[in-house]
Short mmCIF file of all heavy atoms in Angstrom, two decimals:
data_model
loop_
_atom_site.label_atom_id
_atom_site.label_comp_id
_atom_site.label_asym_id
_atom_site.label_seq_id
_atom_site.Cartn_x
_atom_site.Cartn_y
_atom_site.Cartn_z
N MET A 1 194.05 121.70 116.99
CA MET A 1 193.68 122.87 116.26
C MET A 1 194.87 123.34 115.41
O MET A 1 196.01 123.29 115.86
CB MET A 1 193.26 123.98 117.23
CG MET A 1 192.85 125.25 116.55
SD MET A 1 192.25 126.43 117.80
CE MET A 1 192.42 127.92 116.88
N ARG A 2 194.58 123.80 114.23
CA ARG A 2 195.61 124.28 113.31
C ARG A 2 196.15 125.64 113.76
O ARG A 2 195.39 126.50 114.18
CB ARG A 2 195.01 124.39 111.93
CG ARG A 2 196.00 124.72 110.88
CD ARG A 2 195.36 124.64 109.52
NE ARG A 2 196.22 125.36 108.61
CZ ARG A 2 195.83 125.94 107.52
NH1 ARG A 2 194.57 125.88 107.17
NH2 ARG A 2 196.67 126.57 106.75
N ASP A 3 197.46 125.81 113.68
CA ASP A 3 198.09 127.08 114.03
C ASP A 3 197.77 128.11 112.95
O ASP A 3 198.24 127.98 111.82
CB ASP A 3 199.60 126.89 114.16
CG ASP A 3 200.35 128.17 114.49
OD1 ASP A 3 199.70 129.23 114.65
OD2 ASP A 3 201.58 128.11 114.59
N PRO A 4 196.96 129.13 113.25
CA PRO A 4 196.57 130.08 112.22
C PRO A 4 197.73 130.93 111.71
O PRO A 4 197.65 131.53 110.65
CB PRO A 4 195.52 130.96 112.91
CG PRO A 4 195.81 130.82 114.36
CD PRO A 4 196.38 129.44 114.54
N TYR A 5 198.82 130.98 112.45
CA TYR A 5 199.96 131.78 112.04
C TYR A 5 200.98 130.99 111.21
O TYR A 5 201.89 131.56 110.64
CB TYR A 5 200.66 132.38 113.26
CG TYR A 5 199.76 133.29 114.03
CD1 TYR A 5 199.22 132.92 115.24
CD2 TYR A 5 199.41 134.55 113.51
CE1 TYR A 5 198.37 133.76 115.95
CE2 TYR A 5 198.56 135.39 114.20
CZ TYR A 5 198.04 134.99 115.42
OH TYR A 5 197.20 135.82 116.09
N GLU A 6 200.83 129.68 111.16
CA GLU A 6 201.81 128.84 110.47
C GLU A 6 201.93 129.21 108.99
O GLU A 6 203.04 129.30 108.46
CB GLU A 6 201.46 127.35 110.62
CG GLU A 6 202.57 126.44 110.16
CD GLU A 6 203.87 126.66 110.93
OE1 GLU A 6 203.82 126.89 112.14
OE2 GLU A 6 204.95 126.59 110.30
N THR A 7 200.80 129.45 108.33
CA THR A 7 200.85 129.83 106.92
C THR A 7 201.59 131.15 106.74
O THR A 7 202.41 131.30 105.83
CB THR A 7 199.43 129.94 106.34
OG1 THR A 7 198.79 128.66 106.46
CG2 THR A 7 199.45 130.34 104.87
N PHE A 8 201.33 132.10 107.63
CA PHE A 8 202.01 133.39 107.55
C PHE A 8 203.52 133.22 107.77
O PHE A 8 204.33 133.81 107.07
CB PHE A 8 201.46 134.39 108.58
CG PHE A 8 200.10 134.90 108.24
CD1 PHE A 8 199.10 134.88 109.18
CD2 PHE A 8 199.80 135.42 106.99
CE1 PHE A 8 197.83 135.38 108.89
CE2 PHE A 8 198.55 135.92 106.68
CZ PHE A 8 197.56 135.90 107.64
N LYS A 9 203.89 132.42 108.77
CA LYS A 9 205.30 132.21 109.06
C LYS A 9 206.01 131.54 107.89
O LYS A 9 207.11 131.93 107.51
CB LYS A 9 205.47 131.38 110.34
CG LYS A 9 205.07 132.12 111.60
CD LYS A 9 205.40 131.31 112.84
CE LYS A 9 204.19 130.51 113.25
NZ LYS A 9 204.37 129.77 114.50
N THR A 10 205.35 130.53 107.31
CA THR A 10 205.93 129.82 106.18
C THR A 10 206.08 130.74 104.97
O THR A 10 207.12 130.77 104.32
CB THR A 10 205.05 128.60 105.80
OG1 THR A 10 204.97 127.74 106.94
CG2 THR A 10 205.63 127.84 104.63
N THR A 11 205.03 131.52 104.69
CA THR A 11 205.07 132.45 103.57
C THR A 11 206.18 133.48 103.76
O THR A 11 206.94 133.77 102.83
CB THR A 11 203.71 133.16 103.41
OG1 THR A 11 202.70 132.17 103.17
CG2 THR A 11 203.73 134.15 102.26
N ALA A 12 206.29 134.04 104.96
CA ALA A 12 207.33 135.04 105.23
C ALA A 12 208.72 134.44 105.07
O ALA A 12 209.61 135.07 104.48
CB ALA A 12 207.15 135.60 106.64
N ALA A 13 208.92 133.23 105.55
CA ALA A 13 210.22 132.58 105.43
C ALA A 13 210.57 132.32 103.97
O ALA A 13 211.71 132.53 103.55
CB ALA A 13 210.23 131.27 106.22
N GLU A 14 209.59 131.88 103.18
CA GLU A 14 209.82 131.63 101.76
C GLU A 14 210.15 132.92 101.02
O GLU A 14 211.07 132.97 100.19
CB GLU A 14 208.61 130.95 101.12
CG GLU A 14 208.41 129.52 101.58
CD GLU A 14 207.07 128.94 101.13
OE1 GLU A 14 206.25 129.65 100.51
OE2 GLU A 14 206.84 127.74 101.40
N MET A 15 209.41 133.99 101.32
CA MET A 15 209.65 135.27 100.66
C MET A 15 211.03 135.81 101.04
O MET A 15 211.77 136.32 100.19
CB MET A 15 208.56 136.28 101.04
CG MET A 15 207.20 135.94 100.45
SD MET A 15 205.88 137.03 101.03
CE MET A 15 206.24 138.52 100.09
N SER A 16 211.40 135.69 102.31
CA SER A 16 212.70 136.15 102.77
C SER A 16 213.82 135.38 102.07
O SER A 16 214.82 135.96 101.64
CB SER A 16 212.80 136.00 104.28
OG SER A 16 214.03 136.49 104.75
N ALA A 17 213.65 134.06 101.94
CA ALA A 17 214.65 133.22 101.27
C ALA A 17 214.81 133.61 99.80
O ALA A 17 215.89 133.44 99.23
CB ALA A 17 214.27 131.75 101.39
N GLU A 18 213.75 134.16 99.22
CA GLU A 18 213.80 134.60 97.82
C GLU A 18 214.36 136.01 97.69
O GLU A 18 214.44 136.55 96.59
CB GLU A 18 212.40 134.53 97.20
CG GLU A 18 211.89 133.11 97.05
CD GLU A 18 210.44 133.05 96.61
OE1 GLU A 18 209.83 134.10 96.36
OE2 GLU A 18 209.92 131.93 96.53
N GLY A 19 214.73 136.63 98.81
CA GLY A 19 215.34 137.94 98.78
C GLY A 19 214.37 139.11 98.84
O GLY A 19 214.74 140.25 98.59
N VAL A 20 213.11 138.84 99.18
CA VAL A 20 212.11 139.91 99.29
C VAL A 20 212.40 140.72 100.55
O VAL A 20 212.71 140.15 101.61
CB VAL A 20 210.68 139.32 99.32
CG1 VAL A 20 209.64 140.41 99.50
CG2 VAL A 20 210.41 138.51 98.06
N SER A 21 212.29 142.04 100.46
CA SER A 21 212.60 142.91 101.60
C SER A 21 211.57 142.72 102.73
O SER A 21 210.43 142.34 102.48
CB SER A 21 212.61 144.38 101.18
OG SER A 21 211.29 144.82 100.91
N ASP A 22 211.99 143.02 103.94
CA ASP A 22 211.10 142.90 105.10
C ASP A 22 209.88 143.80 104.96
O ASP A 22 208.77 143.43 105.36
CB ASP A 22 211.84 143.23 106.39
CG ASP A 22 212.84 142.15 106.80
OD1 ASP A 22 212.75 141.02 106.27
OD2 ASP A 22 213.69 142.43 107.65
N ASP A 23 210.08 145.01 104.40
CA ASP A 23 208.94 145.92 104.20
C ASP A 23 207.88 145.30 103.29
O ASP A 23 206.69 145.36 103.59
CB ASP A 23 209.40 147.25 103.58
CG ASP A 23 210.15 148.13 104.56
OD1 ASP A 23 210.18 147.79 105.76
OD2 ASP A 23 210.68 149.14 104.12
N LEU A 24 208.32 144.71 102.20
CA LEU A 24 207.38 144.11 101.25
C LEU A 24 206.71 142.88 101.84
O LEU A 24 205.51 142.66 101.64
CB LEU A 24 208.09 143.77 99.94
CG LEU A 24 207.20 143.35 98.78
CD1 LEU A 24 206.12 144.40 98.49
CD2 LEU A 24 208.03 143.10 97.54
N ILE A 25 207.45 142.09 102.61
CA ILE A 25 206.87 140.93 103.28
C ILE A 25 205.78 141.38 104.25
O ILE A 25 204.68 140.82 104.28
CB ILE A 25 207.95 140.09 104.01
CG1 ILE A 25 208.89 139.45 102.99
CG2 ILE A 25 207.30 139.03 104.90
CD1 ILE A 25 210.11 138.80 103.62
N CYS A 26 206.08 142.41 105.04
CA CYS A 26 205.10 142.94 106.00
C CYS A 26 203.85 143.42 105.26
O CYS A 26 202.73 143.12 105.67
CB CYS A 26 205.74 144.05 106.81
SG CYS A 26 204.70 144.68 108.13
N ASP A 27 204.03 144.18 104.19
CA ASP A 27 202.90 144.67 103.40
C ASP A 27 202.05 143.52 102.88
O ASP A 27 200.82 143.54 102.97
CB ASP A 27 203.38 145.52 102.22
CG ASP A 27 203.98 146.84 102.63
OD1 ASP A 27 203.82 147.24 103.80
OD2 ASP A 27 204.61 147.49 101.77
N ALA A 28 202.70 142.50 102.34
CA ALA A 28 201.98 141.37 101.77
C ALA A 28 201.18 140.62 102.83
O ALA A 28 200.01 140.26 102.62
CB ALA A 28 202.96 140.42 101.08
N LEU A 29 201.80 140.39 103.99
CA LEU A 29 201.11 139.66 105.05
C LEU A 29 199.95 140.47 105.62
O LEU A 29 198.88 139.92 105.93
CB LEU A 29 202.09 139.25 106.15
CG LEU A 29 203.15 138.23 105.73
CD1 LEU A 29 204.11 137.98 106.88
CD2 LEU A 29 202.53 136.94 105.24
N LEU A 30 200.14 141.78 105.77
CA LEU A 30 199.05 142.63 106.25
C LEU A 30 197.88 142.61 105.28
O LEU A 30 196.72 142.48 105.69
CB LEU A 30 199.54 144.06 106.47
CG LEU A 30 200.38 144.29 107.71
CD1 LEU A 30 201.02 145.67 107.66
CD2 LEU A 30 199.56 144.12 108.96
N CYS A 31 198.17 142.73 104.00
CA CYS A 31 197.10 142.71 102.99
C CYS A 31 196.38 141.37 102.97
O CYS A 31 195.15 141.31 102.88
CB CYS A 31 197.66 143.03 101.61
SG CYS A 31 198.13 144.76 101.42
N LEU A 32 197.14 140.29 103.08
CA LEU A 32 196.54 138.96 103.09
C LEU A 32 195.62 138.79 104.28
O LEU A 32 194.48 138.33 104.15
CB LEU A 32 197.65 137.90 103.12
CG LEU A 32 197.22 136.45 103.15
CD1 LEU A 32 196.51 136.09 101.86
CD2 LEU A 32 198.42 135.55 103.36
N GLY A 33 196.09 139.20 105.46
CA GLY A 33 195.28 139.08 106.66
C GLY A 33 194.05 139.97 106.63
O GLY A 33 192.95 139.56 107.02
N LEU A 34 194.20 141.21 106.15
CA LEU A 34 193.06 142.12 106.07
C LEU A 34 192.02 141.62 105.07
O LEU A 34 190.82 141.71 105.32
CB LEU A 34 193.53 143.53 105.71
CG LEU A 34 194.25 144.28 106.82
CD1 LEU A 34 194.85 145.57 106.28
CD2 LEU A 34 193.32 144.56 107.98
N ASN A 35 192.48 141.09 103.96
CA ASN A 35 191.55 140.54 102.98
C ASN A 35 190.76 139.37 103.56
O ASN A 35 189.54 139.28 103.40
CB ASN A 35 192.31 140.12 101.72
CG ASN A 35 191.38 139.71 100.60
OD1 ASN A 35 190.26 140.20 100.49
ND2 ASN A 35 191.84 138.82 99.75
N ALA A 36 191.45 138.49 104.27
CA ALA A 36 190.78 137.35 104.89
C ALA A 36 189.77 137.81 105.93
O ALA A 36 188.65 137.29 106.00
CB ALA A 36 191.81 136.41 105.52
N ALA A 37 190.15 138.79 106.74
CA ALA A 37 189.24 139.32 107.76
C ALA A 37 188.01 139.96 107.12
O ALA A 37 186.88 139.76 107.60
CB ALA A 37 189.97 140.33 108.64
N CYS A 38 188.21 140.71 106.06
CA CYS A 38 187.08 141.35 105.37
C CYS A 38 186.12 140.30 104.81
O CYS A 38 184.90 140.46 104.89
CB CYS A 38 187.57 142.24 104.24
SG CYS A 38 188.18 143.83 104.79
N ARG A 39 186.66 139.23 104.26
CA ARG A 39 185.80 138.17 103.71
C ARG A 39 185.02 137.47 104.81
O ARG A 39 183.88 137.07 104.61
CB ARG A 39 186.64 137.16 102.93
CG ARG A 39 187.16 137.71 101.63
CD ARG A 39 188.09 136.71 100.96
NE ARG A 39 188.67 137.26 99.77
CZ ARG A 39 188.42 136.81 98.54
NH1 ARG A 39 187.60 135.80 98.37
NH2 ARG A 39 188.99 137.36 97.51
N MET A 40 185.66 137.32 105.96
CA MET A 40 185.02 136.61 107.06
C MET A 40 183.99 137.47 107.78
O MET A 40 182.89 137.03 108.06
CB MET A 40 186.08 136.13 108.05
CG MET A 40 185.51 135.34 109.23
SD MET A 40 186.73 135.01 110.49
CE MET A 40 186.77 136.59 111.34
N ALA A 41 184.37 138.72 108.11
CA ALA A 41 183.53 139.53 108.99
C ALA A 41 182.99 140.80 108.35
O ALA A 41 182.22 141.51 108.98
CB ALA A 41 184.34 139.89 110.24
N GLY A 42 183.42 141.09 107.15
CA GLY A 42 182.96 142.31 106.47
C GLY A 42 183.89 143.48 106.72
O GLY A 42 184.60 143.53 107.73
N PRO A 43 183.89 144.43 105.80
CA PRO A 43 184.83 145.54 105.91
C PRO A 43 184.58 146.47 107.10
O PRO A 43 185.53 146.97 107.70
CB PRO A 43 184.67 146.29 104.58
CG PRO A 43 183.36 145.85 104.04
CD PRO A 43 183.11 144.48 104.58
N GLU A 44 183.33 146.71 107.46
CA GLU A 44 183.06 147.62 108.57
C GLU A 44 183.63 147.09 109.88
O GLU A 44 184.28 147.81 110.63
CB GLU A 44 181.55 147.88 108.72
CG GLU A 44 180.93 148.65 107.58
CD GLU A 44 180.56 147.75 106.39
OE1 GLU A 44 180.64 146.50 106.52
OE2 GLU A 44 180.23 148.30 105.33
N PHE A 45 183.37 145.82 110.15
CA PHE A 45 183.91 145.20 111.38
C PHE A 45 185.43 145.19 111.34
O PHE A 45 186.09 145.51 112.32
CB PHE A 45 183.39 143.78 111.55
CG PHE A 45 184.02 143.08 112.72
CD1 PHE A 45 183.53 143.27 114.00
CD2 PHE A 45 185.13 142.25 112.55
CE1 PHE A 45 184.12 142.64 115.09
CE2 PHE A 45 185.72 141.63 113.64
CZ PHE A 45 185.21 141.83 114.90
N THR A 46 185.99 144.83 110.18
CA THR A 46 187.45 144.73 110.06
C THR A 46 188.11 146.07 110.30
O THR A 46 189.09 146.17 111.04
CB THR A 46 187.82 144.19 108.66
OG1 THR A 46 187.22 142.90 108.49
CG2 THR A 46 189.32 144.05 108.51
N ILE A 47 187.58 147.13 109.72
CA ILE A 47 188.15 148.46 109.92
C ILE A 47 188.03 148.89 111.37
O ILE A 47 188.98 149.42 111.96
CB ILE A 47 187.49 149.48 108.97
CG1 ILE A 47 187.90 149.17 107.53
CG2 ILE A 47 187.86 150.91 109.35
CD1 ILE A 47 187.10 149.91 106.48
N SER A 48 186.88 148.66 111.99
CA SER A 48 186.68 149.01 113.39
C SER A 48 187.66 148.26 114.28
O SER A 48 188.29 148.83 115.18
CB SER A 48 185.24 148.69 113.79
OG SER A 48 185.06 148.86 115.17
N HIS A 49 187.81 146.97 114.03
CA HIS A 49 188.72 146.15 114.83
C HIS A 49 190.17 146.56 114.59
O HIS A 49 190.98 146.58 115.53
CB HIS A 49 188.52 144.67 114.50
CG HIS A 49 189.22 143.76 115.45
ND1 HIS A 49 188.85 143.63 116.76
CD2 HIS A 49 190.29 142.96 115.28
CE1 HIS A 49 189.65 142.77 117.37
NE2 HIS A 49 190.54 142.36 116.49
N LEU A 50 190.50 146.93 113.36
CA LEU A 50 191.86 147.37 113.04
C LEU A 50 192.22 148.63 113.82
O LEU A 50 193.33 148.75 114.34
CB LEU A 50 191.99 147.60 111.54
CG LEU A 50 193.37 147.95 111.01
CD1 LEU A 50 194.39 146.88 111.37
CD2 LEU A 50 193.31 148.15 109.50
N HIS A 51 191.28 149.55 113.94
CA HIS A 51 191.52 150.76 114.73
C HIS A 51 191.84 150.40 116.19
O HIS A 51 192.75 150.98 116.80
CB HIS A 51 190.32 151.70 114.69
CG HIS A 51 190.18 152.45 113.41
ND1 HIS A 51 191.08 153.40 112.99
CD2 HIS A 51 189.25 152.37 112.43
CE1 HIS A 51 190.71 153.89 111.83
NE2 HIS A 51 189.60 153.27 111.46
N LYS A 52 191.12 149.42 116.74
CA LYS A 52 191.38 148.99 118.12
C LYS A 52 192.76 148.36 118.24
O LYS A 52 193.49 148.61 119.21
CB LYS A 52 190.31 147.99 118.56
CG LYS A 52 188.93 148.60 118.70
CD LYS A 52 187.91 147.52 119.01
CE LYS A 52 186.50 148.08 118.95
NZ LYS A 52 185.49 147.02 119.09
N MET A 53 193.13 147.54 117.25
CA MET A 53 194.43 146.89 117.28
C MET A 53 195.57 147.90 117.17
O MET A 53 196.58 147.79 117.86
CB MET A 53 194.54 145.86 116.15
CG MET A 53 193.69 144.63 116.37
SD MET A 53 193.83 143.46 115.00
CE MET A 53 195.54 143.03 115.07
N ILE A 54 195.40 148.91 116.32
CA ILE A 54 196.42 149.95 116.18
C ILE A 54 196.61 150.67 117.51
O ILE A 54 197.74 150.94 117.91
CB ILE A 54 196.05 150.93 115.05
CG1 ILE A 54 196.18 150.22 113.69
CG2 ILE A 54 196.90 152.18 115.10
CD1 ILE A 54 195.60 150.99 112.52
N ALA A 55 195.52 150.97 118.18
CA ALA A 55 195.61 151.65 119.49
C ALA A 55 196.40 150.79 120.48
O ALA A 55 197.23 151.32 121.24
CB ALA A 55 194.21 151.95 120.02
N VAL A 56 196.16 149.50 120.49
CA VAL A 56 196.89 148.60 121.39
C VAL A 56 198.38 148.59 121.04
O VAL A 56 199.25 148.69 121.93
CB VAL A 56 196.31 147.17 121.34
CG1 VAL A 56 197.23 146.17 122.05
CG2 VAL A 56 194.92 147.14 121.93
N PHE A 57 198.70 148.49 119.76
CA PHE A 57 200.11 148.49 119.35
C PHE A 57 200.78 149.81 119.70
O PHE A 57 201.94 149.83 120.11
CB PHE A 57 200.25 148.22 117.84
CG PHE A 57 200.07 146.77 117.48
CD1 PHE A 57 199.06 146.38 116.63
CD2 PHE A 57 200.91 145.79 118.00
CE1 PHE A 57 198.88 145.05 116.29
CE2 PHE A 57 200.75 144.45 117.67
CZ PHE A 57 199.73 144.08 116.81
N GLU A 58 200.08 150.92 119.55
CA GLU A 58 200.66 152.22 119.89
C GLU A 58 200.99 152.31 121.37
O GLU A 58 202.04 152.83 121.75
CB GLU A 58 199.71 153.36 119.48
CG GLU A 58 199.67 153.58 117.98
CD GLU A 58 198.63 154.61 117.55
OE1 GLU A 58 197.69 154.90 118.32
OE2 GLU A 58 198.77 155.12 116.43
N VAL A 59 200.12 151.78 122.20
CA VAL A 59 200.37 151.76 123.65
C VAL A 59 201.60 150.91 123.95
O VAL A 59 202.47 151.30 124.73
CB VAL A 59 199.14 151.25 124.42
CG1 VAL A 59 199.49 150.94 125.87
CG2 VAL A 59 198.01 152.25 124.34
N LYS A 60 201.69 149.75 123.30
CA LYS A 60 202.84 148.87 123.53
C LYS A 60 204.14 149.53 123.07
O LYS A 60 205.15 149.46 123.75
CB LYS A 60 202.65 147.54 122.80
CG LYS A 60 201.62 146.65 123.46
CD LYS A 60 201.50 145.32 122.74
CE LYS A 60 200.50 144.44 123.44
NZ LYS A 60 200.41 143.11 122.83
N VAL A 61 204.11 150.16 121.91
CA VAL A 61 205.31 150.82 121.38
C VAL A 61 205.70 152.00 122.25
O VAL A 61 206.88 152.22 122.52
CB VAL A 61 205.11 151.25 119.91
CG1 VAL A 61 206.23 152.15 119.44
CG2 VAL A 61 205.00 150.03 119.01
N ASP A 62 204.72 152.77 122.73
CA ASP A 62 205.00 153.93 123.59
C ASP A 62 205.71 153.50 124.87
O ASP A 62 206.50 154.26 125.43
CB ASP A 62 203.72 154.69 123.93
CG ASP A 62 203.19 155.49 122.75
OD1 ASP A 62 203.94 155.70 121.78
OD2 ASP A 62 202.02 155.89 122.81
N GLY A 63 205.44 152.29 125.32
CA GLY A 63 206.06 151.80 126.55
C GLY A 63 207.46 151.27 126.35
O GLY A 63 208.15 150.95 127.32
N GLN A 64 207.92 151.19 125.12
CA GLN A 64 209.26 150.67 124.84
C GLN A 64 210.24 151.82 124.71
O GLN A 64 209.92 152.90 124.25
CB GLN A 64 209.26 149.87 123.54
CG GLN A 64 208.40 148.63 123.60
CD GLN A 64 208.41 147.86 122.29
OE1 GLN A 64 209.01 148.29 121.32
NE2 GLN A 64 207.73 146.73 122.28
N THR A 65 211.48 151.55 125.09
CA THR A 65 212.51 152.58 124.98
C THR A 65 213.22 152.51 123.64
O THR A 65 213.86 153.46 123.23
CB THR A 65 213.56 152.44 126.10
OG1 THR A 65 214.11 151.12 126.06
CG2 THR A 65 212.91 152.69 127.46
N SER A 66 213.13 151.38 122.96
CA SER A 66 213.74 151.24 121.64
C SER A 66 212.70 150.68 120.68
O SER A 66 211.70 150.12 121.11
CB SER A 66 214.96 150.32 121.71
OG SER A 66 214.56 149.04 122.15
N PRO A 67 212.94 150.81 119.38
CA PRO A 67 211.96 150.28 118.42
C PRO A 67 211.78 148.78 118.59
O PRO A 67 212.71 148.07 119.01
CB PRO A 67 212.60 150.58 117.06
CG PRO A 67 213.61 151.62 117.32
CD PRO A 67 214.06 151.44 118.74
N PRO A 68 210.59 148.27 118.27
CA PRO A 68 210.37 146.82 118.40
C PRO A 68 211.28 146.07 117.44
O PRO A 68 211.60 146.55 116.35
CB PRO A 68 208.90 146.65 118.04
CG PRO A 68 208.51 147.90 117.35
CD PRO A 68 209.44 148.98 117.80
N ILE A 69 211.71 144.90 117.85
CA ILE A 69 212.57 144.06 117.04
C ILE A 69 211.70 143.05 116.30
O ILE A 69 210.92 142.33 116.91
CB ILE A 69 213.61 143.33 117.90
CG1 ILE A 69 214.50 144.35 118.62
CG2 ILE A 69 214.44 142.36 117.08
CD1 ILE A 69 215.42 143.74 119.65
N ALA A 70 211.85 142.99 114.98
CA ALA A 70 211.08 142.04 114.17
C ALA A 70 211.66 140.65 114.39
O ALA A 70 212.87 140.45 114.41
CB ALA A 70 211.16 142.42 112.70
N THR A 71 210.77 139.68 114.60
CA THR A 71 211.20 138.29 114.75
C THR A 71 210.63 137.48 113.62
O THR A 71 209.59 137.79 113.07
CB THR A 71 210.72 137.71 116.09
OG1 THR A 71 209.30 137.79 116.15
CG2 THR A 71 211.35 138.44 117.26
N GLN A 72 211.36 136.47 113.26
CA GLN A 72 210.89 135.61 112.15
C GLN A 72 210.70 134.22 112.64
O GLN A 72 211.21 133.78 113.57
CB GLN A 72 211.87 135.63 111.00
CG GLN A 72 211.94 136.98 110.36
CD GLN A 72 212.91 136.98 109.18
OE1 GLN A 72 213.48 135.96 108.83
NE2 GLN A 72 213.09 138.12 108.59
#
């Protein structure tokens, strides 16, 4: 099975090598993923699922004593 994150990792590495800021890379990858999800499952499902994912991330972040460390 193809690694669904490989394209994202490759794109992020290429953008970083070109000097693109981490904020802009994050924005671009989020938009790319959301667009793909909307095309696959429709905007209503994508928005509903995104709300659930945000809640999970908030719980994980609340349990940390320091900000999450970005990994590449």
Side-chain angles (χ1 to χ4, degrees):
M1 180 175 160
R2 186 173 163 207
D3 178 1
Y5 298 107
E6 191 60 38
T7 300
F8 288 130
K9 290 186 266 185
T10 301
T11 300
E14 290 170 357
M15 291 174 75
S16 183
E18 292 172 4
V20 177
S21 71
D22 288 344
D23 287 351
L24 189 55
I25 293 170
C26 186
D27 290 348
L29 294 176
L30 285 169
C31 288
L32 180 65
L34 287 171
N35 188 29
C38 281
R39 289 175 184 246
M40 181 189 79
E44 293 83 9
F45 175 83
T46 301
I47 291 168
S48 173
H49 191 68
L50 185 57
H51 285 293
K52 292 174 188 173
M53 289 179 63
I54 290 169
V56 169
F57 283 119
E58 287 174 340
V59 167
K60 287 183 178 183
V61 169
D62 287 345
Q64 296 179 357
T65 56
S66 61
I69 299 171
T71 58
Q72 294 181 3

